[in-house]
């Protein structure tokens, strides 16, 4: 990471619409950590030139850049406190024009709109760290709706446990199955796994598999809300970059090896249960009301035509609920974490879901008949 190079801290003056300023600041300021030991990382870099204002914010692992049209009277660069500036602009009257000005004689950024005046402390633009984009691959265009789907269907399973840091992200990689190349996203925390895939975009061949950190995934997902129809993605073994049109996010990736998840995908789970996803979720949610916080265990007793859900809690009592299912095999029982079951049912896009079971301690495979490109795996609880 190198400091910003161009521009000066001498003078800067511009006028910008509040809405445009608020939107761009909103995009970049979430990269800024609330508590920082390095003061300049609390700031946003403002660069005014020609007819636009460019914003940059970073936490040294991730950088978000955005831009907005502005009337630039005096081009220049300065950094100012990101969260404070965002809060000020948020509270300014709608439709107002905001004037940002800085002169070398006064070490503060003047922010004015209508009758409001603010002066904010600044730090030199030359000290602001800029993330290089060395080594990034050629860009591949991905439909916004496809990328949203890959993230939304999988990110709930990203691990929050710091010891296995290589599980603290979303594994994006390409695979070839039956001669078809696919872009696949996988997340797991060791107890459950979520997998979603799509036809690989042009340019994906040969790009390395990377583990995109949880924070980067969350920020990319947020920026996708304001993106156009396509996002450009670039990947290197060390970094990933998403270009959303105006805004861009560059991030380091997690340096580690994602486990060989294909070994845990059940191949011969022959007990197949079909159930109404919404009714199943509601029933699990009801019985889980009295489950013990730690294990959240729900017992599933499955027999021909029905499943009986049971939760027993020494302190809170017992809950039982019966539900119709499509199943005609031998009866069997197993337990799952209720929260994990609900996280999966939240992702089912059709009316029904398909559960495939093996033995009592084998992982269950959950499929969405309405979306054949997703798979979920849940480990049963050993009770």
């Amino acid at each position: 990471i190198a400091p910003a190079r161009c521009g000066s801290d001498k003078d800067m003056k511009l006028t910008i619409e509040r809405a445009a300023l608020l939107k761009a600041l909103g995009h970049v300021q979430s990269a800024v950590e609330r508590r920082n030991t390095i003061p300049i990382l609390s700031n946003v870099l403002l660069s005014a030139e020609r007819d636009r204002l460019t914003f940059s914010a970073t936490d040294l692992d991730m950088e978000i850049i955005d831009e907005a049209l502005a009337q630039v009277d005096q081009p220049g660069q300065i950094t100012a406190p990101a969260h404070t500036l965002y809060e000020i602009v948020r509270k300014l009257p709608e439709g107002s024009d905001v004037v940002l000005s800085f002169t070398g004689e006064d070490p503060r950024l003047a922010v004015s709109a209508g009758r409001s005046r603010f002066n904010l402390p600044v730090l030199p633009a030359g000290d602001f760290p800029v993330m290089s984009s060395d080594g990034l691959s050629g860009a591949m265009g991905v439909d916004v709706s496809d990328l949203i789907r890959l993230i939304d269907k999988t990110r709930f399973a990203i691990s929050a446990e710091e010891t296995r840091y290589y599980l603290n992200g979303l594994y994006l990689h390409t695979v070839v199955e039956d001669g078809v190349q696919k872009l696949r996203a996988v997340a797991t925390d060791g107890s459950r796994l979520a997998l979603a895939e799509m036809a690989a975009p042009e340019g994906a061949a040969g790009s390395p598999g990377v583990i995109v950190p949880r924070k980067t995934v969350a920020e990319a997902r947020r920026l996708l809300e304001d993106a156009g129809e396509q996002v450009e993605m670039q990947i290197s073994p060390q970094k990933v970059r998403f270009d959303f049109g105006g805004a861009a996010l560059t991030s380091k990736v997690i340096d580690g090896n994602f486990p060989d998840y294909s070994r845990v995908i059940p191949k011969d789970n022959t007990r197949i249960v079909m159930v109404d996803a919404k009714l199943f979720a509601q029933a699990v949610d009801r019985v889980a009301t009295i489950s013990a916080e730690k294990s959240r265990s729900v017992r599933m007793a499955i027999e021909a035509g029905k499943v009986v859900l049971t939760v027993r809690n020494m302190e809170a009592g017992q809950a039982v609920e019966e539900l119709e299912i499509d199943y005609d095999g031998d009866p069997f029982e197993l337990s799952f974490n209720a929260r994990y079951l609900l996280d999966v049912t939240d992702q089912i896009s059709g009316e029904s879901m398909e559960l495939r079971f093996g033995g009592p301690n084998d992982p269950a495979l959950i499929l969405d008949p309405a979306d054949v490109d997703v798979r979920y795996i849940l480990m049963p609880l050993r009770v």
Side-chain angles (χ1 to χ4, degrees):
I1 289 192
R5 286 168 292 281
C6 58
S8 72
D9 296 340
K10 284 179 187 154
D11 293 323
M12 181 179 89
K13 186 173 183 188
L14 63 104
T15 306
I16 183 169
E17 288 179 2
R18 172 193 173 268
L21 179 56
L22 185 66
K23 184 177 179 183
L25 277 173
H27 283 164
V28 302
Q29 58 105 26
S30 56
V32 178
E33 294 288 352
R34 289 278 173 187
R35 292 187 189 85
N36 259 313
T37 51
I38 306 170
I40 201 155
L41 295 184
S42 299
N43 283 15
V44 56
L45 173 66
L46 304 168
S47 309
E49 54 183 344
R50 292 192 292 277
D51 62 348
R52 65 195 58 232
L53 179 61
T54 303
F55 307 77
S56 306
T58 183
D59 62 2
L60 296 183
D61 290 320
M62 173 175 77
E63 173 190 76
I64 302 179
I65 296 175
D66 202 0
E67 58 181 32
L69 290 173
Q71 180 194 318
V72 177
D73 300 318
Q74 177 71 51
Q77 280 191 315
I78 197 65
T79 81
H83 295 311
T84 310
L85 183 57
Y86 175 75
E87 285 304 317
I88 287 170
V89 176
R90 193 172 67 81
K91 292 171 184 176
L92 289 174
E94 278 187 36
S96 56
D97 283 337
V98 184
V99 178
L100 301 177
S101 61
F102 170 79
T103 65
E105 286 125 43
D106 182 359
R108 296 178 301 172
L109 176 73
V111 182
S112 59
R115 297 182 177 182
S116 303
R117 300 273 187 284
F118 299 88
N119 287 299
L120 299 180
V122 296
L123 288 169
D127 294 346
F128 193 82
V130 174
M131 194 174 267
S132 82
S133 49
D134 297 347
L136 285 166
S137 64
M140 52 177 142
V142 184
D143 283 359
V144 164
S145 56
D146 286 336
L147 193 52
I148 285 176
R149 181 180 151 278
L150 285 189
I151 291 173
D152 285 356
K153 296 286 184 185
T154 54
R155 66 171 168 169
F156 69 88
I158 294 174
S159 175
E161 184 195 320
E162 297 302 328
T163 49
R164 292 192 289 175
Y165 64 94
Y166 50 85
L167 299 183
N168 296 158
L170 192 61
Y171 182 40
L172 270 183
H173 58 299
T174 52
V175 295
V176 177
E177 274 189 353
D178 303 325
V180 178
Q181 189 168 52
K182 295 175 177 180
L183 178 64
R184 183 180 281 178
V186 179
T188 183
D189 60 7
S191 301
R192 57 198 174 152
L193 182 143
L195 178 157
E197 59 193 15
M198 56 176 273
E202 209 172 308
S207 60
V210 289
I211 307 169
V212 184
R214 187 198 301 102
K215 181 179 174 182
T216 305
V217 171
E219 291 307 321
R221 177 64 184 86
R222 208 172 49 81
L223 290 166
L224 282 165
E225 290 296 330
D226 291 329
E229 292 181 3
Q230 270 220 331
V231 174
E232 288 203 332
M233 252 171 62
Q234 291 173 279
I235 295 172
S236 80
Q238 288 80 35
K239 286 195 196 95
V240 60
R241 178 181 165 92
F242 301 92
D243 206 315
F244 303 92
L249 185 164
T250 308
S251 170
K252 293 177 183 175
V253 296
I254 292 173
D255 182 15
N257 293 320
F258 200 78
D260 179 9
Y261 62 87
S262 60
R263 293 184 314 160
V264 300
I265 299 176
K267 305 287 190 289
D268 47 7
N269 279 10
T270 51
R271 298 164 161 175
I272 297 174
V273 172
M274 298 295 292
V275 64
D276 182 302
K278 194 172 177 185
L279 295 179
F280 180 74
Q282 290 168 344
V284 170
D285 194 28
R286 278 193 292 270
V287 296
T289 309
I290 65 161
S291 67
E293 275 306 308
K294 196 162 182 242
S295 70
R296 308 274 295 168
S297 174
V298 172
R299 190 78 177 156
M300 290 172 62
I302 295 167
E303 55 186 273
K306 72 173 183 181
V307 57
V308 179
L309 303 169
T310 308
V311 171
R312 289 191 180 87
N313 183 341
M314 295 294 282
E315 290 153 19
Q318 178 173 321
V320 180
E321 181 134 2
E322 198 174 293
L323 200 64
E324 277 184 27
I325 56 171
D326 184 353
Y327 174 71
D328 57 8
D330 297 333
F332 63 100
E333 289 189 18
L334 68 181
S335 297
F336 290 100
N337 179 310
R339 178 71 260 151
Y340 292 177
L341 281 172
L342 292 171
D343 283 342
V344 171
T345 53
D346 279 350
Q347 310 311 320
I348 302 297
S349 43
E351 287 183 5
S352 61
M353 69 179 195
E354 182 179 325
L355 300 99
R356 297 186 177 187
F357 300 100
N361 295 317
D362 294 338
L365 177 64
I366 302 175
L367 304 174
D368 182 353
D371 186 349
V372 295
D373 287 329
V374 296
R375 278 171 268 178
Y376 302 103
I377 292 149
L378 277 186
M379 292 300 295
L381 296 171
R382 293 171 189 269
V383 181

